Amino acid sequence: MTGLPLSRSPLGIAATAVGAAGFAVAAGAHVWARHIEPNLFEVRELSLPVLPTGAGRLRVLHISDIHLAVGQERKIEFLRYLATMKPDLVVNTGDNVSSAAAIPVLLDALGPLLERPGVFVNGSNDKYAAGKRNVFRYFLPDPREEGGPKDPPLPTEQMTDAFTAAGWLELNNARGTLQMSGCDVDFVGVDDPHLDHDEFPAPDGRGDSVGQPSPAGDVAAQGRPRLRVGVMHAPYQRVIREMVEDGSDVLFAGHTHGGQLALPWFGALVTNCDLHRSQAKGVSMHHGVPLHVSGGLGANPFYNMRMFNRPEATLLTLKQRRA
C-alpha cells in the first residue's frame, strides 16, 4: 500500500497549517507596525516634583522626533490638537521634518503651539533630509555614520527663523531664560550630540547665549523662584553628565523613538545612543536629576514602524519638590 504524499499526510497538513499561521501572524504584525500603530498618537501625562519652594505648577508639553512628511494628515491633525492642552511651555527636542517640502507644512501644523512660550534644539533631521539606512547598524555599540550623514542638507534656517520669530528660544549650544508665571526658568541646551555638534555653553553665558545667564541658586536677586532645565536631542551620557554638573533640575531629550520596536516584558530593543534600552523613553534618574526622554511622534519615513510603542507627546506637570 502506497503511503500518502507528505503534503496530504496528517504531519504534512499540520506543518502546512503551522507555516500558514506563522506567515499570517508575521504579515499581520507587519501591517500593524507599518500602517496602524504609527498613527495611534497619544498624550502621556506625568508629574515631576522639581520646582523650588514658592514656585507655582508648570505644565510642560514635550514634543520630539516628529519627522513630518508631506501627506501625514493624521500626524498634522494631532499636532494641532496638542495646542488645545494649553501648556505653559513647549519643549521641542528636534528631528522635526523628513524633507525640505515638509517644513512649511510643519510650521502650519505647529502654528497654534508657536503662540505658547517654547524652546528648541536641533536633531540631525533638522539639518539633513531622511535617507535609507541599514537597520541592523542600530544594533552596533555606536550606530553613528562615520563622517556624519550623507543625505541632502535641509534649509535649517527657515525653520529656526520661524521658531524664533514666534518667540521660541533657540538653545543650540546656548543658554536662555524665560519668565514664567511664578517662576523664572533658566535653560541650557546643546546642538545634536548624535552628530557631535554639541559644545556646552560657558556657565557665565559667553558665546552664543540667548537671554540672561542663570544666577547661582534657586532664587534670583529679586526673590523669584528659579528652575534650571537642560535640553538636548540625543541623550548621550557625556551631555547628561555636563548638564547635571551645571546644576540642571530636570532634563529633556528625544532621539530614541522609544526604541521604535519593543517586546512585551522586554521593552525597547535599541536606543541609537549610549543610553540603556530600559531608559529609551519616560523618566529615569541620573545622579539625582530626572531625565525625560520622549518616545517621539514619528520616525524615518523609510522605516516608520512601531510595535508596542505608540507615538507620543508628553504633558508633564512640574510641581514643588517634596520637603
Side-chain angles (χ1 to χ4, degrees):
M1 180 176 176
T2 304
L4 290 172
L6 181 60
S7 61
R8 296 175 58 190
S9 69
L11 181 60
I13 292 172
T16 300
V18 169
F23 178 81
V25 169
H30 180 269
V31 170
W32 177 270
R34 188 73 172 92
H35 301 288
I36 299 177
E37 190 163 330
N39 292 306
L40 297 180
F41 302 104
E42 67 176 352
V43 177
R44 287 193 307 117
E45 296 194 34
L46 302 172
S47 62
L48 286 175
V50 297
L51 292 180
T53 302
R57 293 193 176 191
L58 188 64
R59 285 160 44 91
V60 179
L61 178 67
H62 184 189
I63 57 175
S64 193
D65 300 274
I66 301 170
H67 290 281
L68 188 65
V70 175
Q72 293 182 330
E73 297 301 327
R74 291 183 181 178
K75 188 182 294 184
I76 292 170
E77 181 181 352
F78 183 74
L79 289 172
R80 289 189 170 278
Y81 161 76
L82 291 175
T84 67
M85 310 193 77
K86 298 182 179 179
D88 301 310
L89 174 69
V90 180
V91 175
N92 181 339
T93 47
D95 271 7
N96 286 279
V97 294
S98 297
S99 68
I103 293 177
V105 181
L106 172 86
L107 295 176
D108 182 67
L110 288 180
L113 279 179
L114 288 170
E115 297 176 5
R116 319 293 300 185
V119 299
F120 69 98
V121 292
N122 284 341
S124 62
N125 284 136
D126 300 307
K127 301 183 175 188
Y128 302 95
K132 290 185 178 181
R133 300 285 186 275
N134 180 349
V135 295
F136 293 104
R137 73 182 180 86
Y138 292 108
F139 291 91
L140 298 174
D142 189 346
R144 289 178 290 180
E145 297 172 291
E146 187 174 350
K150 308 302 188 295
D151 306 309
L154 291 173
T156 306
E157 66 284 350
Q158 181 181 350
M159 192 161 44
T160 298
D161 290 348
F163 286 169
T164 56
W168 282 14
L169 292 183
E170 180 187 355
L171 296 174
N172 291 307
N173 301 330
R175 296 178 183 268
T177 297
L178 289 177
Q179 289 190 337
M180 311 301 296
S181 177
C183 181
D184 289 349
V185 185
D186 297 317
F187 297 94
V188 61
V190 293
D191 203 342
D192 187 16
H194 192 66
L195 298 178
D196 290 323
H197 288 181
D198 54 302
E199 296 180 10
F200 203 79
D204 61 359
R206 292 192 303 266
D208 295 328
S209 63
V210 181
Q212 299 298 317
S214 170
D218 283 339
V219 182
Q222 65 270 37
R224 282 175 56 85
R226 303 194 80 93
L227 176 73
R228 295 169 179 253
V229 176
V231 184
M232 70 199 91
H233 175 65
Y236 279 87
Q237 297 284 355
R238 69 177 190 278
V239 182
I240 295 172
R241 183 169 56 253
E242 286 177 313
M243 290 187 171
V244 169
E245 292 174 352
D246 191 63
S248 291
D249 299 302
V250 60
L251 310 176
F252 292 89
H255 177 70
T256 66
H257 303 173
Q260 280 197 227
L261 303 179
L263 296 175
W265 303 292
F266 184 81
L269 302 181
V270 295
T271 63
N272 197 20
C273 63
D274 61 0
L275 204 64
H276 190 268
R277 61 176 186 79
S278 65
Q279 300 168 331
K281 69 177 180 179
V283 177
S284 57
M285 300 300 294
H286 298 262
H287 307 286
V289 176
L291 162 70
H292 181 260
V293 178
S294 171
L297 286 166
N300 185 313
F302 295 105
Y303 314 106
N304 188 18
M305 302 178 70
R306 294 227 173 203
M307 182 67 76
F308 299 108
N309 177 28
R310 290 171 61 177
E312 66 178 29
T314 310
L315 185 66
L316 297 98
T317 299
L318 307 187
K319 304 185 297 185
Q320 287 188 28
R321 301 183 188 117
R322 299 184 183 94

